[in-house]
Amino acid sequence: MLTLRRATRVLQVLNTTQKCEQSFHRWLGPTLRELKRRKDSQGPEKPAHRKTFLEWNYDTEIYAFSKRLGEEFNNDLLQQALTERSYIIREEERQKNVGIEQPTLNLSDNKELVSKGSDFIDDIVKRYLRTVLPRLPEEGIIGIHKHLTSIQTLSHVSFHIGTSDLILCADFPVEKLTLSNVLKSIIAALIESSGNSRAALFVRDFIITQLADKDLHQFWEPDEPIKLLSEILARDGIQSPEPRLIGCSGKNTILACFRVGLYTPDDKQMIGLGFGETVDIAHEMAARDSLRKLFGTSDNILLPFNLKLDQLCASSARNLSVTEWSQKTIPAHPSHFELRQAKEICSN
């Protein structure tokens, strides 16, 4: 009985296949292949702006954009923040080409907003870094700040919050500089719409969080770490540390690895540990390890991303320069207690 059922099923499948083959003409397959060949020969299709779609509604898109961000914007300010000067110039030229001698557009470009947003981002980023990294020299603060406010970082944030389809500009796809400027102008529009506190949270959540899972040492590494470590210890009345070879493996091979420790001459305490393929490299890495411990930027550092505007240090506060850095001259930071609470919340 089972064999008969299987045979019946096979006959049904064969009959269905034959009917499908008979329903298609012989020219269909070659035609589809030829159409695909012609399409491939023309290269990839150029990206099209969303405004070319039939269902495009700019006012609705702006409203949805603000709701996706969870912010309350003044619609006129938000539209101004998304409007580049190049777009206004192009539209005026189009009106002149159709015979309008004095074109009028009820649009304002975002030049002033860009400047205001840039200043605000610089201020908040520096204040945040000086709050969470009070022992890091000012050179390190500037290095991390330079990364966070670079065109690459700001354009990345701007693109991924969905501004590329809303920007009114002459170029498409939108250039990175335009994306970066629009993000700055959006933050300025948020300042005027909802205040500095909301704008600071926006900068924290979208820009400062770009440091997550990043190695802070790639943004700033001091030159001549062995010499710098000796100078810093000398300011504290400590003699230059003594390097000691405490281990090695694979000596005289291409996989050689040396382990060097730095010890204080007085109490013989190890203050740094480094590894390298040569003794000199391991010595330098040990000095860098010591500096990281002094500056509070060890590899297991956890940055709190839940600080608010009132928890940041004053805008006039600056960290010590590396040329004057000393453990004796580091001022007490006013928000250490709040910072410790924030770290405990993050760890939980």
Side-chain angles (χ1 to χ4, degrees), residues 3 161 195 311:
T3 307
I161 64 175
Q311 294 176 299

Side-chain angles (χ1 to χ4, degrees), residues 65-299:
F65 174 75
S66 61
K67 295 305 177 183
R68 285 197 303 270
L69 295 180
E71 303 291 350
E72 294 294 334
F73 286 95
N74 181 297
N75 289 335
D76 295 335
L77 284 175
L78 182 56
Q79 184 173 356
Q80 180 182 353
L82 294 167
T83 304
E84 286 284 313
R85 180 59 186 169
S86 59
Y87 176 80
I88 297 177
I89 294 175
R90 188 185 65 179
E91 292 300 315
E92 289 177 348
E93 291 179 352
R94 285 183 177 180
Q95 292 189 14
K96 290 180 180 178
N97 292 335
V98 297
I100 302 177
E101 297 180 357
Q102 296 181 351
T104 56
L105 294 173
N106 295 325
L107 293 175
S108 300
D109 61 82
N110 59 3
K111 183 178 180 180
E112 295 182 359
L113 293 177
V114 170
S115 178
K116 182 177 181 179
S118 179
D119 295 338
F120 185 81
I121 293 174
D122 290 342
D123 179 60
I124 295 299
V125 170
K126 287 181 179 179
R127 290 173 61 183
Y128 174 85
L129 294 176
R130 290 165 181 162
T131 301
V132 300
L133 300 171
R135 299 175 64 89
L136 184 65
E138 188 66 17
E139 289 82 356
I141 298 296
I142 294 175
I144 302 174
H145 167 268
K146 184 177 179 180
H147 165 73
L148 289 178
T149 57
S150 64
I151 294 177
Q152 184 70 26
T153 301
L154 296 182
S155 63
H156 173 80
V157 174
S158 180
F159 177 81
H160 284 88
I161 64 175
T163 61
S164 57
D165 290 330
L166 299 175
I167 297 176
L168 299 179
C169 61
D171 57 308
F172 189 82
V174 185
E175 297 179 354
K176 289 185 177 181
L177 178 59
T178 302
L179 288 169
S180 174
N181 289 337
V182 166
L183 180 63
K184 296 176 182 178
S185 61
I186 288 175
I187 293 175
L190 183 59
I191 295 174
E192 298 186 14
S193 300
S194 303
N196 292 344
S197 297
R198 293 298 305 179
L201 294 179
F202 186 95
V203 173
R204 181 199 69 183
D205 295 340
F206 289 99
I207 299 179
I208 296 179
T209 52
Q210 298 301 310
L211 289 177
D213 298 331
K214 294 286 194 312
D215 182 12
L216 299 181
H217 308 109
Q218 64 179 315
F219 307 125
W220 178 73
E221 280 285 6
D223 299 329
E224 300 181 353
I226 300 175
K227 178 181 178 181
L228 176 61
L229 178 62
S230 299
E231 293 176 352
I232 290 177
L233 294 179
R235 298 189 193 110
D236 295 330
I238 303 174
Q239 297 180 5
S240 298
E242 299 176 353
R244 297 181 185 177
L245 181 63
I246 58 179
C248 66
S249 62
K251 190 176 181 180
N252 297 326
T253 67
I254 60 175
L255 298 178
C257 179
F258 297 89
R259 183 170 56 178
V260 172
L262 291 180
Y263 293 82
T264 55
D266 299 332
D267 51 6
K268 307 302 180 183
Q269 295 293 324
M270 187 172 69
I271 60 174
L273 181 64
F275 300 83
E277 57 267 27
T278 65
V279 176
D280 293 337
I281 294 177
H283 184 192
E284 181 179 339
M285 296 306 296
R288 293 188 184 279
D289 181 57
S290 300
L291 290 175
R292 291 171 183 177
K293 292 179 180 179
L294 290 175
F295 297 156
T297 58
S298 56
D299 294 335

Side-chain angles (χ1 to χ4, degrees), residues 16-27:
T16 304
T17 304
Q18 291 177 358
K19 289 180 180 179
C20 291
E21 290 178 353
Q22 294 174 0
S23 62
F24 291 102
H25 296 285
R26 291 184 177 180
W27 54 262

